[in-house]
Amino acid sequence: MTTRHTLFAALVPALLVAALLTGCTSKTPSATPTPTATPSPSPTPLLPQASGAIPPAVAQVVVAMTTHKPEDLTALVAYQQVACTTAQGAGGPPKCKTGDSQGTVYRVFATGGCEGEWVTDARPILKQIADTSGPLFAVVKLTRPNPDPEPGWPKGDAAMIYNAGSGAGGYFVVADAQIVRAHTYCGAPAIDALLKQLGATEFYVAPPGR
């Protein structure tokens, strides 16, 4: 074998090893882009922006209405012990049932639409207001009248008004951390007349435009 052939034979294995090493060299992987996190939408607040501290009972009513849970409203109801009357006509104390004598005491709740009335079960009226009401219109602080022209009618410390200006919805009156009255409207209410009737002195949550 010639010297040239000997050198070529010696170089072949070295070249093969170099080629294999070059082919096995791993490439630096390209950087994987970090996905951009999509921010979660902010939850709708259950309580409105208020000008002062909202009383706890008011907050509970507003949350129950916002989440549409009439059963939570029922848990806040304060029934009254009121003597019935045999007198006819709208308004006044609850009417005595057949067989009951004048002055029989009933466990009743104050409500009404065009006229005030007393009911023995508050759940239907609470559900009606919850089902027909839209957004909260206003929350007002109430002052109890002195002297009181209607001493037999429950008075409150605050009222929550829903859908004022339309015939749907209604309002709640709370006192001592309980709902003492719940009313539907007799047609579209005049807001100023309603506020005066309730004895509103200031707003916790003002109506639009005030």
Side-chain angles (χ1 to χ4, degrees), residues 52-143:
I54 295 180
V58 172
Q60 288 177 286
V61 171
V62 172
V63 170
M65 287 289 288
T66 304
T67 56
H68 196 266
K69 293 182 177 179
E71 64 275 14
D72 289 350
L73 296 174
T74 302
L76 296 171
V77 164
Y79 286 92
Q80 313 290 322
Q81 301 293 323
V82 184
C84 73
T85 180
T86 56
Q88 300 302 307
K95 308 307 178 192
C96 295
K97 298 177 182 178
T98 303
D100 288 344
S101 59
Q102 173 90 13
T104 299
V105 175
Y106 292 159
R107 177 179 176 269
V108 287
F109 178 72
T111 183
C114 295
E115 298 287 349
E117 63 177 299
W118 300 89
V119 295
T120 56
D121 186 356
R123 289 174 296 179
I125 188 64
L126 297 177
K127 187 175 187 305
Q128 179 183 343
I129 296 174
D131 288 345
T132 61
S133 292
L136 178 68
F137 181 76
V139 179
V140 295
K141 182 177 181 179
L142 307 180
T143 297

Side-chain angles (χ1 to χ4, degrees), residues 7 15-16 18 20 30 56 61 78 138 143-144 147 161 163-164 169 175 185 190 204:
L7 290 173
L15 291 172
L16 289 174
L20 289 172
S30 58
V61 171
T143 297
R144 304 188 186 200
I161 303 170
N163 279 32
Y185 299 123
Y204 287 115

